[in-house]
Amino acid sequence: MATAHEQHETSQWTLRALLADVARFGDHPALISVSGEALTVWSFAELSDRSRRLATGLWQAGIGPNDPVLLMGEAGHDWVVVRLALGALGALAVPCDHLSTPEEVAALIADCGCRRGFVDAAFVPMLQEIAGAEGFELHVLAEDGLPEAPSWHSLLAPEAEALPAPDHRAPDMLIYTSGTTGAPKSFSLNSANIHANVSALVAERLIGPGDRLLLPLPLHHVYPFLIGLLVPLASGAAVVFPEGLTGPQIARARLQADVSIIGACPRLGA
């Protein structure tokens, strides 16, 4: 049974605590992206360091706790590091389906009131048209930025610095879902909600160091984010992103990255 101190520490859990914890896995692979025959690999130490340095850079750029920030792009290293940095800072991540229509994105922005976004380069023109070139700051989810939208790399601080203590009771993410019908509606999850799911599955030891989980699902959904990303990372396992969602691309990623587990849905298993 956990001691009173341990229960208190658990109740204060945030994504900042996760980043501090996973650094102990050091040089073991944390994220692996497959592109053709090439693999891009970040270790746990690299992921933790970049996320914490980016959180510092976000703070220095004027993004603070509870500020809503749009996150719109395909799953991969860039999406993950920005998402974890937002969580470490205590900002409110607003993940958006990268297949959304301009009308859906406009409705989301109007509803949550975000004025900053991290998006794939292909979405920059759409976001500028929706939100206007002035008053909405965009950064690209790639190493190289655009004249109108610099890369997230431009916000990396030289080193991680102390940040305001995050409130584990405050919303960590704002999710939009239509359920089965109707226009998307929002709901939020805080750090306690996230930790309740992640800690319970980590305790089951379904995955561990040495495992590599192939994740072909979009990270704006709660299930892939919590179960497909955070649980493996908290367990010391690597997350593998395929180049695409076709059968051959998924099969190639499974072989090239030496995958041991696939995080999927019934449709992919058909």
Side-chain angles (χ1 to χ4, degrees):
M1 180 177 295
T3 66
H5 175 72
E6 290 171 335
Q7 290 172 346
H8 173 74
E9 290 300 314
T10 297
S11 70
Q12 307 299 315
W13 184 94
T14 64
L15 286 179
R16 190 186 302 180
L18 174 70
L19 287 173
D21 183 57
V22 300
R24 64 191 168 94
F25 296 115
D27 293 334
H28 292 285
L31 302 178
I32 303 173
S33 289
V34 179
S35 179
E37 300 297 320
L39 299 180
T40 299
V41 182
W42 283 8
S43 70
F44 278 95
E46 290 172 317
L47 176 61
S48 178
D49 175 68
R50 293 180 192 185
S51 298
R52 291 184 294 111
R53 287 168 53 207
L54 180 57
T56 297
L58 294 173
W59 172 249
Q60 294 172 345
I63 300 176
N66 305 315
D67 286 346
V69 180
L70 180 72
L71 186 53
M72 184 178 181
E74 296 191 39
H77 291 53
D78 302 289
W79 197 103
V80 173
V81 70
V82 171
R83 176 63 185 90
L84 294 180
L86 291 171
L89 178 58
L92 178 62
V94 187
C96 178
D97 186 351
H98 66 280
L99 298 179
S100 296
T101 65
E103 293 75 20
E104 290 170 334
V105 178
L108 180 151
I109 290 174
D111 182 71
C112 71
C114 61
R115 303 305 302 166
R116 298 175 186 264
F118 290 82
V119 304
D120 284 350
F123 303 130
V124 169
M126 177 181 71
L127 266 296
Q128 288 187 318
E129 183 175 346
I130 290 172
E134 297 183 4
F136 198 96
E137 293 190 33
L138 288 173
H139 284 79
V140 174
L141 292 170
E143 184 172 352
D144 298 319
L146 303 171
E148 63 274 29
S151 164
W152 66 265
H153 286 254
S154 66
L155 292 172
L156 274 174
E159 59 183 12
E161 298 179 359
L163 297 171
D167 182 357
H168 68 284
R169 299 162 299 182
D172 176 88
M173 56 195 300
L174 190 64
I175 306 298
Y176 284 82
T177 178
S178 61
T180 55
T181 60
K185 307 169 190 65
S186 67
F187 70 92
S188 65
L189 295 176
N190 61 25
S191 294
N193 301 142
I194 294 172
H195 186 250
N197 285 273
V198 173
S199 62
L201 287 171
V202 170
E204 292 296 323
R205 299 184 180 179
L206 302 174
I207 190 170
D211 280 317
R212 294 186 173 189
L213 181 142
L214 178 63
L215 185 63
L217 304 178
L219 286 171
H220 68 276
H221 285 305
V222 174
Y223 169 74
F225 176 63
L226 266 64
I227 312 305
L229 178 69
L230 296 188
V231 170
L233 292 181
S235 303
V239 178
V240 179
F241 299 110
E243 187 171 12
L245 301 181
T246 67
Q249 289 171 320
I250 292 175
R252 185 182 308 118
R254 182 179 66 83
L255 293 174
Q256 288 185 235
D258 194 23
V259 166
S260 56
I261 301 175
I262 300 179
C265 58
R267 181 179 178 184
L268 287 175

